[in-house]
Amino acid sequence: MEIAELVRRLARLQVSSLSDADKTLPVCDPAIGPLLPDVTLVGTAFTVRSDGDLLGMIDAIGQAGPGTVLVAATDGSPLAASGELFATEGRRRGLAGIAVDGWCRDLRGLRRVGLPVFARGTTPAAGPAAGPAVVQVPVRFGGVEVQPGDLVFGDDDGLLIAPPERVAAALERAEEIERVEAEVAAAVGSGRSLHEVTNAAEHLRAVAAGEPSTFRFQP
């Protein structure tokens, strides 16, 4: 499947649905989340090391192309690796967003720019731009090994990063999960109980009896 088609279809889904479709897909440390609410981040990883120094980010944002996500590994640095100016340039260049395994700053400015930014939080302190710049190398990000070109998929629930082929393999199942869950939500919204639109009663009986069973929705 072409990356563009994969990104287009992912953008209509929730990260939780993809995670449900393949529970082995690598999910980043849940401490890394969106700094802006109600955003979806989907793109290919452009990796950079930003271990307390900003030169790597400056180099990366000058190279990264449209649809990419800057994925910044910080090695635990307490300094901000990104802020309003990087987000503004990222928006101008058509980047999909910025993800930092660490800290950002300029939250007010980030809200104005509107580019999806994921991080552990904010701090006003940033480091120098002395270098060296290290980009497009494998990095460890939020406990996940990330290669340049991996797919980055994030929303309010968190961030998932995986090779495109693994995401593609789970995509149809994720779409089916969302279709069924939408039917269940509509049924519950119309007055039916959750137990009526699942096999909960049967599943509870089977589990209590030590029999094999799988919980499922049946709208």
Side-chain angles (χ1 to χ4, degrees):
M1 185 183 302
E2 295 287 336
I3 291 291
E5 172 69 5
L6 190 51
V7 167
R8 184 184 66 80
R9 290 168 65 178
L10 279 176
R12 298 199 298 257
L13 298 176
Q14 299 180 85
V15 175
S16 57
S17 300
L18 186 65
S19 183
D20 283 348
D22 180 354
K23 294 183 182 297
T24 69
L25 287 172
V27 174
C28 300
D29 185 341
I32 302 171
L35 296 185
L36 309 179
D38 300 320
V39 297
T40 297
L41 171 62
V42 189
T44 53
F46 190 103
T47 62
V48 53
R49 296 192 184 278
S50 185
D51 306 344
D53 189 279
L54 296 176
L55 193 59
M57 289 292 287
I58 293 169
D59 186 25
I61 209 161
Q63 293 190 48
T68 58
V69 178
L70 292 190
V71 176
T74 70
D75 196 28
S77 169
L79 301 175
S82 189
E84 179 183 3
L85 293 181
F86 289 161
T88 301
E89 177 65 4
R91 170 71 76 187
R92 188 189 72 81
R93 293 181 63 85
L95 270 62
I98 297 172
V100 178
D101 185 2
W103 310 93
C104 288
R105 68 179 192 175
D106 308 326
L107 186 55
R108 289 180 184 175
L110 294 179
R111 290 177 182 141
R112 286 192 294 268
V113 175
L115 185 75
V117 176
F118 282 64
R120 293 182 179 271
T122 60
T123 179
V134 181
V135 303
Q136 288 296 72
V137 297
V139 297
R140 186 166 180 82
F141 181 98
V144 174
E145 300 297 332
V146 180
Q147 300 286 335
D150 280 353
L151 268 173
V152 183
F153 186 25
D155 61 19
D156 290 274
D157 286 334
L159 197 61
L160 184 155
I161 306 178
E165 60 273 15
R166 292 197 60 193
V167 174
L171 183 60
E172 287 190 8
R173 175 62 180 148
E175 291 171 334
E176 174 65 10
I177 287 171
E178 292 218 350
R179 184 191 66 77
V180 172
E181 289 190 352
E183 292 180 3
V184 170
V188 173
S190 69
R192 298 176 67 189
S193 74
L194 185 63
H195 281 62
E196 287 182 274
V197 292
T198 68
N199 70 333
E202 175 189 339
H203 181 58
L204 285 165
R205 181 203 60 78
V207 170
E211 300 170 357
S213 178
T214 301
F215 178 78
R216 62 183 181 277
F217 295 113
Q218 46 191 34

